[in-house]
Amino acid sequence: MMKIDDIRREYLKDGLSEEKLLANPIEQFESWLQLAVDAKLDDPTAMVVATVDSNGQPSQRIVLLKDVNPNGFVFFTNTESRKAQEIAGNNKVSLHFPWHSLERQVIVYGTAKPLSNLAVTKYFLSRPKESQLAAWASAQSRPVSSRKVLMEKFQQIKNKFSEGEVPLPSFWGGYCIEPHQIEFWQGGANRLHDRFMYKLEDGVWTKQRLNP
C-alpha cells in the first residue's frame, strides 16, 4: 500500500489580513470567485454541498454554483434527490469552495430557501437541451440497474421532446443558501494559515481572525 502520511506541501502563494477583506463577505466572495475564474481554474464554481438526514448522518456532493447575489448562493437540483429530501427535513446547509491551486477555501454556513417557480423555469430554459433532457431522464439518487437502462430512458425522453421546448419537470427546483457565517481561508507557511470568519448578527456582518 502506498505511503500517504508524509504527502504535504508548503502554502506560500499569499497571505490574508483583516485590512485586505471587504466589509461584506458576499462581495469578498465575488472578488475571490472572479480571481478563480481569471486564473482559469477547472470548475471554479464547483462547490461541495453538505446536508444532514433525519438520523444525523451528513452527506456531501459537488454541484455548480449558478448565481451569487446579496441574498446568498444559488444552485438547482432534482427536488426528489437525496440532498433535496434532506433539505426538506433540515434546511441548514454548508457549502465549501476548494480552490486548491490558489491555496484558498471558502466555507458557507446557511439556510436553504426554495426558489420561486419563475426563477427555476428561467434557469431551466437557459440550459442546453441535452441537459434539460437528462433532468427528465434521471431519477436522481435512486438505484438504476445499469447505464444501458439509463441511456434507454434518455433516448425515450429525447424522442418524446424532439420538437419544441422541453418543459420544466415538476420535480426540478432550486435553492438560495442564505448565509449567516462565511469563512475565508488562505494557506500559510508552516501550517499557520490565515482564517477569517464573518458572522451575521442583527443584520450586520462582523468578522474575526481564527487560529489555523
Side-chain angles (χ1 to χ4, degrees):
M1 182 176 176
M2 63 185 294
K3 185 174 176 60
I4 63 172
D5 61 335
D6 59 355
I7 296 176
R8 61 177 58 85
R9 66 184 176 93
E10 284 289 355
Y11 299 93
L12 302 171
K13 284 185 180 293
D14 204 354
L16 190 60
S17 65
E18 187 167 1
E19 293 73 28
K20 287 184 177 181
L21 292 168
L22 300 175
N24 186 299
I26 300 290
E27 295 175 2
Q28 180 65 45
F29 174 85
E30 289 176 319
S31 72
W32 272 23
L33 176 60
Q34 186 62 59
L35 289 171
V37 172
D38 293 344
K40 301 186 184 306
L41 301 190
D42 290 338
D43 302 316
T45 60
M47 60 183 184
V48 178
V49 179
T51 56
V52 178
D53 70 13
S54 59
N55 295 316
Q57 174 62 56
S59 62
Q60 304 175 59
R61 71 289 294 162
I62 295 175
V63 306
L64 297 181
L65 177 72
K66 288 302 175 182
D67 187 31
V68 57
N69 58 58
N71 293 322
F73 303 79
V74 172
F75 70 92
F76 297 86
T77 187
N78 185 316
T79 56
E80 296 176 355
S81 65
R82 177 176 178 176
K83 59 183 166 298
Q85 294 301 306
E86 291 181 355
I87 286 172
N90 180 353
N91 66 355
K92 292 182 174 58
V93 172
S94 179
L95 310 176
H96 178 221
F97 295 86
W99 295 318
H100 298 301
S101 62
L102 298 180
E103 299 177 357
R104 288 178 170 175
Q105 304 178 60
V106 178
I107 304 172
V108 177
Y109 304 87
T111 303
K113 300 293 180 67
L115 296 175
S116 68
N117 187 258
L118 178 62
V120 172
T121 301
K122 181 179 179 181
Y123 169 71
F124 186 80
L125 294 178
S126 75
R127 303 181 85 199
K129 187 170 184 178
E130 299 295 306
S131 295
Q132 295 174 349
L133 297 172
W136 274 98
S138 173
Q140 196 174 104
S141 301
R142 278 168 284 180
V144 62
S145 60
S146 67
R147 183 166 184 85
K148 181 174 182 289
V149 170
L150 177 63
M151 297 310 296
E152 287 173 350
K153 179 66 178 296
F154 179 78
Q155 188 59 51
Q156 291 170 8
I157 295 296
K158 190 173 184 178
N159 294 339
K160 180 178 180 179
F161 298 123
S162 60
E163 298 181 5
E165 288 188 344
V166 179
L168 176 72
S170 61
F171 50 81
W172 188 258
Y175 300 93
C176 179
I177 308 304
E178 298 181 357
H180 57 82
Q181 291 183 213
I182 303 179
E183 179 182 336
F184 292 84
W185 183 101
Q186 178 74 59
N190 303 311
R191 297 299 184 268
L192 297 176
H193 312 303
D194 291 311
R195 298 173 60 191
F196 285 89
M197 179 70 81
Y198 288 78
K199 292 185 179 181
L200 186 61
E201 299 174 337
D202 298 323
V204 177
W205 285 103
T206 62
K207 62 180 179 291
Q208 65 180 156
R209 178 182 281 274
L210 304 179
N211 273 288

